[in-house]
Amino acid sequence: MPLLFKKVKDLRNYLHGLKCERGLSVGFVPTMGYLHEGHKALIKNSKIQNDITIVSVYVNPTQFGPGEDYERYPRDLDRDMAVCEELGVDAVFAPTDEEMYPEGFRTEVYVKGISEVLEGKFRPGHFKGVATIVLKLLNAVQPDRVYFGEKDYQQLKLVERMVRDLLLPVEIVPVPVVREPDGLAYSSRNVYLSGEERESALSIYRSFLLAQEMINQGERRSEVIKKEIERFILSHPHVKKIDYVEITDSELNPKDIVDKGDRILVAVWVGNTRLIDNWKVS
Ligand code: PAF
């Protein structure tokens, strides 16, 4: 079993010996637990590139808005520990709320601009919570490399911006979206979907294939492609609404004309579950 730390102080003591005395490199995978194949890909990359791999498991309350799924977000630390053991993770950091947000906590990190668009428009305050906890976790672990999935593409870009702006001495390693064999992107929230809803959720991946095919055939107008994605996804039962379909360059600037390397980003409600996904145009 990996070591389990609940306190920053104990984690730091453990890491101090490994980094300062033995000169070992540290890879870090921050998660909210309920680990799936997407997380496993992050962990496997870290295992290859570093001597030591640390995984954090913490459902961060400040990145959930009122009425969101903080309470029902799936949690199972024993299961996560077993996954980490199977993959050879060295230590898991699973702090309590008191440890991360002790009485009197007042500091927040806000990354301007990127926090307000796309997800930020629909989840006000979300990225402030993400930036704050990611900075805290990075300070607790002080890794050489940190691993983020491209599934949460805007989160990845936000963290890249914060790391550059605040001169944090860490390398960010992006890892491509991992999909189930039928194309559904792995997400801890997939457990909320009924069988029928899951079937409708596949429309997201299929709409990306459709869009890519349009682009392959020569269509490059974003408006036309976005309309087709929306029409296709909304034609499926259980799809309640689409929060957004956007096409941007790799830095999240909206594009009118699509090029290779651009991103298609969507947020879709299937039943009561909000799913996000994105596609790199090739
Ligand atoms: O992507 C996630 O699981 C979370 O947003 C993160 C990065 C662990 C911060 O709570």
Side-chain angles (χ1 to χ4, degrees):
M1 268 291 171
L3 295 168
L4 175 62
F5 295 101
K6 301 235 165 214
K7 299 244 180 255
V8 175
K9 183 166 63 68
D10 297 336
L11 175 71
R12 281 193 171 147
N13 280 341
Y14 161 72
L15 286 170
H16 182 80
L18 298 173
K19 283 196 287 200
C20 302
E21 287 153 26
R22 295 178 54 196
L24 300 180
S25 62
V26 174
F28 175 43
V29 180
T31 82
M32 297 206 297
Y34 217 71
L35 305 178
H36 51 64
E37 293 301 319
H39 297 116
K40 287 186 189 175
L42 305 179
I43 295 170
K44 285 178 190 163
N45 273 275
S46 173
K47 287 284 297 174
I48 292 168
Q49 296 176 344
N50 304 279
D51 299 319
I52 299 290
T53 291
I54 309 291
V55 172
S56 66
V57 172
Y58 179 59
V59 184
N60 171 38
T62 66
Q63 67 187 76
F64 291 80
E68 290 189 356
D69 58 342
Y70 173 67
E71 253 87 49
R72 72 166 181 147
Y73 197 88
R75 292 160 170 88
D76 189 340
L77 186 58
D78 291 342
R79 180 179 171 279
D80 292 337
M81 288 297 285
V83 172
C84 287
E85 178 175 33
E86 173 198 314
L87 296 180
V89 168
D90 297 278
V92 170
F93 178 50
T96 57
D97 290 340
E98 293 71 38
E99 184 69 4
M100 296 320 275
Y101 297 105
E103 191 60 35
F105 186 89
R106 287 290 176 275
T107 309
E108 291 174 326
V109 182
Y110 186 60
V111 186
K112 283 189 275 186
I114 192 166
S115 297
E116 290 130 36
V117 298
L118 299 164
E119 283 300 284
K121 249 190 214 164
F122 294 88
R123 303 186 69 190
H126 169 66
F127 285 121
K128 203 192 278 176
V130 170
T132 304
I133 196 66
V134 169
L135 180 59
K136 288 193 63 130
L137 291 169
L138 287 174
N139 282 336
V141 180
Q142 301 189 10
D144 296 278
R145 297 181 189 84
V146 62
Y147 295 79
F148 283 93
E150 290 188 354
K151 157 84 168 39
D152 296 302
Y153 192 73
Q154 190 176 1
Q155 169 174 277
L156 165 68
K157 291 288 132 184
L158 173 109
V159 174
E160 284 179 354
R161 185 73 260 165
M162 176 179 76
V163 162
R164 278 200 299 273
D165 289 353
L166 300 182
L167 305 176
L168 303 181
V170 64
E171 179 190 340
I172 299 174
V173 183
V175 177
V177 182
V178 182
R179 298 183 182 281
E180 299 202 38
D182 57 12
L184 187 67
Y186 279 101
S187 161
S188 303
R189 291 188 166 98
N190 290 352
V191 295
Y192 302 152
L193 298 168
S194 70
E196 283 184 358
E197 286 171 347
R198 194 187 174 288
E199 195 53 41
S200 287
L202 291 176
S203 65
I204 298 172
Y205 173 65
R206 292 181 183 150
S207 79
F208 292 154
L209 297 183
L210 191 66
Q212 183 65 57
E213 187 51 30
M214 288 172 79
I215 295 163
N216 295 348
Q217 298 295 322
E219 181 57 75
R220 295 185 55 211
R221 293 167 297 175
S222 290
E223 275 317 311
V224 176
I225 298 165
K226 286 195 290 192
K227 280 225 168 66
E228 184 55 16
I229 291 173
E230 278 173 22
R231 186 203 59 77
F232 181 79
I233 293 176
L234 286 171
S235 72
H236 289 74
H238 308 291
V239 174
K240 231 162 58 184
K241 64 174 171 163
I242 295 179
D243 277 351
Y244 60 82
V245 174
E246 195 53 82
I247 303 184
T248 71
D249 67 12
S250 60
E251 294 307 310
L252 295 179
N253 303 302
K255 291 284 298 278
D256 292 334
I257 297 295
V258 183
D259 293 304
K260 246 188 180 163
D262 288 347
R263 287 273 161 177
I264 304 173
L265 303 113
V266 307
V268 177
W269 285 90
V270 182
N272 291 326
T273 306
R274 188 173 183 279
L275 299 173
I276 60 169
D277 201 349
N278 70 88
W279 179 258
K280 183 177 180 180
V281 174
S282 60

